[in-house]
Amino acid sequence: MDFLIFDPKTPRDMIRRLQQKFAQDRLFKGKALLIYGPRQVGKTTFTEALLSTLEKSVLRLNGDDTDTRELLSRPNVTQLKSIIRDSEIVFIDEAQRIPEIGLVIKIIVDQIKSVQVIATGSSSFELAGKINEPLTGRTYELVLLPITYEENVNHTDFLTEKRMLEQRLVFGSYPEIVSDEINALEHLKLLTNSYLYKDLFELDQIKNSALLQRIVKSLALQIGSEIRINELSKQVGADNKTIHKYITLLEQSFIIFSLTSYGKNVRNELKKSRKIFFYDNGVINAVTGNLNPVHQRNDVGLLWENYLVSERKKWLNINRIDKFTHFWRTTQQQEVDYIETTHDTTLGFEFKWNPNSKAHFPKTFTKAYPEAICQVISTENYFEFLSM
């Protein structure tokens, strides 16, 4: 495919990410490139693969290093010029760990114009909070998420990825898990035990790591259901304000995302409800402790729904397509699993793991929204939904 970058120095087993072309096209345009995403999603690998396509001198700095944080603690243009010297690119990994990172990047963009800054951050809330004001209009932003269906197909082939579908439903698509399937369980447990919440635990707002993990597990057990804060509060033993705060932080660290309810025309539509989904199926299964294969489970429909919604979310992100995403449900439990809207289109989708299962769209919905184009997505046509 002509938008993929081939780099002969890249190992053959490395999965090439579709956003490399977007990133490459925005270098040396007078703005910093910021790469967000969850931990262990491959931001450093992505950036190194990008740098390997350029014949440029690179200064690498890492916010995890104490001396780097001290060096950049009181930045000024003279100091930064002496640090950068003849480098053409400054790559700042784990940039959210550097207290003055916004000012550092601003000085380089504004006053050392020949230098390109690339910065990665494993959480949007901390890095964005430090850079948004000083860097208004000075950045391009890219969100890197777990490997997508299309990237997996490009890495192997269509039939191989189709055979791997049940593996994806259980173990997910983080890079290490995709590239080392034999040790997928070990990688997944390490991810969810050691890395996933690391940024959150380092924040002052997170006073109780056990509570956070209870909230994550409770959300994982309610995939496909409307989230009721009052009920969640009783389940985990925390007040509503704390629940809201933790859910927001989980969203900002790219662990979960939400769909709001869709409604305009029907009196008994749910108006302010929402569902929570995870960016990766493997995380759901790891935190709930259920890593049984699909044929031994009674929740495959919910795993299927999360997989399709999250993969679609990733596809929209990669292609930088702006759509409003929702679900639809009435108080009588009539529902449509997933809806996408723009100013002039409405698409409705029902998800069925078994292609032989009967599916129909509620007449209440089709009558209220006759313009909606409705489609059933099953294992026979899901690849169209994830690449159309």
Side-chain angles (χ1 to χ4, degrees):
M1 303 178 74
D2 58 6
F3 51 80
L4 292 176
I5 297 173
F6 175 74
D7 172 22
K9 293 178 284 186
T10 300
R12 290 187 177 275
D13 62 347
M14 183 178 291
I15 299 171
R16 297 184 182 91
R17 307 304 297 264
L18 295 176
Q19 288 157 291
Q20 263 203 358
K21 182 63 165 58
F22 171 87
Q24 190 174 46
D25 286 348
R26 281 150 185 82
L27 298 179
F28 297 98
K29 305 284 182 165
K31 296 185 179 184
L33 175 65
L34 305 183
I35 302 171
Y36 299 110
R39 283 191 173 272
Q40 300 296 299
V41 82
K43 297 181 298 297
T44 304
T45 302
F46 175 90
T47 305
E48 291 293 355
L50 176 65
L51 294 174
S52 71
T53 67
L54 309 170
E55 294 183 357
K56 303 286 185 180
S57 55
V58 181
L59 171 65
R60 290 170 172 82
L61 302 171
N62 194 312
D64 279 337
D65 296 335
T66 302
D67 56 350
T68 296
R69 296 197 297 272
E70 291 177 353
L71 185 66
L72 301 177
S73 61
R74 291 180 294 276
N76 59 70
V77 65
T78 302
Q79 175 210 40
L80 288 173
K81 283 183 177 179
S82 68
I83 294 170
I84 295 170
R85 304 183 69 178
D86 297 328
S87 299
E88 297 166 280
I89 297 175
V90 176
F91 170 29
I92 309 171
D93 208 6
E94 300 296 343
Q96 79 278 358
R97 301 291 308 279
I98 300 171
E100 296 294 335
I101 188 59
L103 183 56
V104 170
I105 297 175
K106 180 180 183 295
I107 291 172
I108 297 173
V109 171
D110 287 352
Q111 301 190 51
I112 316 176
K113 297 181 182 294
S114 62
V115 174
Q116 172 67 54
V117 177
I118 302 175
T120 70
S122 51
S123 50
S124 66
F125 54 88
E126 200 172 350
L127 184 55
K130 293 175 180 177
I131 68 171
N132 275 349
E133 186 174 341
L135 288 182
T136 301
R138 295 177 174 89
T139 64
Y140 293 113
E141 297 184 5
L142 182 155
V143 176
L144 196 68
L145 296 169
I147 306 295
T148 69
Y149 165 81
E150 192 172 0
E151 288 168 333
N152 277 320
V153 169
N154 290 339
H155 183 62
T156 55
D157 56 68
F158 175 81
L159 288 177
T160 298
E161 185 57 22
K162 189 171 178 64
R163 295 187 191 106
M164 292 298 297
L165 178 58
E166 293 190 8
Q167 169 91 356
R168 305 286 182 245
L169 292 187
V170 176
F171 291 98
S173 298
Y174 269 79
E176 275 197 330
I177 292 164
V178 170
S179 60
D180 186 12
E181 295 150 9
I182 294 175
N183 297 303
L185 178 59
E186 179 182 346
H187 291 310
L188 185 57
K189 287 183 176 179
L190 183 62
L191 169 70
T192 53
N193 291 336
S194 302
Y195 295 115
L196 196 63
Y197 316 116
K198 183 177 180 181
D199 293 316
L200 292 171
F201 290 161
E202 291 176 352
L203 290 174
D204 290 339
Q205 297 106 306
I206 299 297
K207 304 294 185 182
N208 189 334
S209 61
L211 173 61
L212 176 68
Q213 291 172 316
R214 290 200 300 274
I215 291 172
V216 173
K217 182 175 181 178
S218 185
L219 292 173
L221 289 169
Q222 297 181 59
I223 291 296
S225 302
E226 302 148 48
I227 296 299
R228 294 180 172 86
I229 298 298
N230 286 337
E231 293 181 9
L232 190 60
S233 175
K234 294 175 183 177
Q235 291 168 4
V236 303
D239 60 77
N240 289 3
K241 183 178 179 181
T242 300
I243 299 292
H244 275 293
K245 180 179 75 174
Y246 278 36
I247 287 177
T248 298
L249 292 172
L250 287 165
E251 288 185 298
Q252 292 174 327
S253 56
F254 306 105
I255 296 170
I256 64 174
F257 63 95
S258 61
L259 293 186
T260 56
S261 54
Y262 181 72
K264 294 188 293 186
N265 297 334
V266 180
R267 186 177 61 183
N268 58 356
E269 288 173 327
L270 299 179
K271 296 296 193 291
K272 295 183 179 180
S273 187
R274 65 171 169 162
K275 291 183 181 182
I276 298 292
F277 293 90
F278 283 67
Y279 278 104
D280 188 78
N281 269 42
V283 174
I284 297 173
N285 295 312
V287 300
T288 59
N290 187 355
L291 290 158
N292 290 326
V294 166
H295 68 272
Q296 295 180 9
R297 303 179 64 139
N298 59 10
D299 62 348
V300 63
L302 300 180
L303 293 180
W304 182 233
E305 182 177 354
N306 191 89
Y307 174 78
L308 291 175
V309 174
S310 62
E311 285 293 331
R312 183 67 174 179
K313 174 87 169 177
K314 292 189 288 184
W315 185 85
L316 292 171
N317 170 62
I318 280 181
N319 291 280
R320 307 186 80 81
I321 295 174
D322 291 322
K323 288 190 175 186
F324 297 103
T325 56
H326 309 274
F327 69 97
W328 180 86
R329 184 175 288 176
T330 67
T331 54
Q332 290 78 30
Q333 302 303 301
Q334 297 173 304
E335 64 180 318
V336 176
D337 289 332
Y338 179 72
I339 292 173
E340 285 182 358
T341 64
T342 63
H343 70 283
D344 61 353
T345 63
T346 302
L347 304 177
F349 300 94
E350 275 290 296
F351 303 136
K352 297 294 181 184
W353 172 249
N354 184 348
N356 297 320
S357 298
K358 291 184 179 180
H360 68 279
F361 288 82
K363 290 183 180 179
T364 304
F365 178 79
T366 56
K367 183 178 179 180
Y369 305 103
E371 76 283 2
I373 300 171
C374 298
Q375 186 178 2
V376 177
I377 305 299
S378 73
T379 52
E380 291 187 341
N381 64 350
Y382 71 99
F383 43 87
E384 298 172 358
F385 176 67
L386 300 183
S387 56
M388 70 180 190

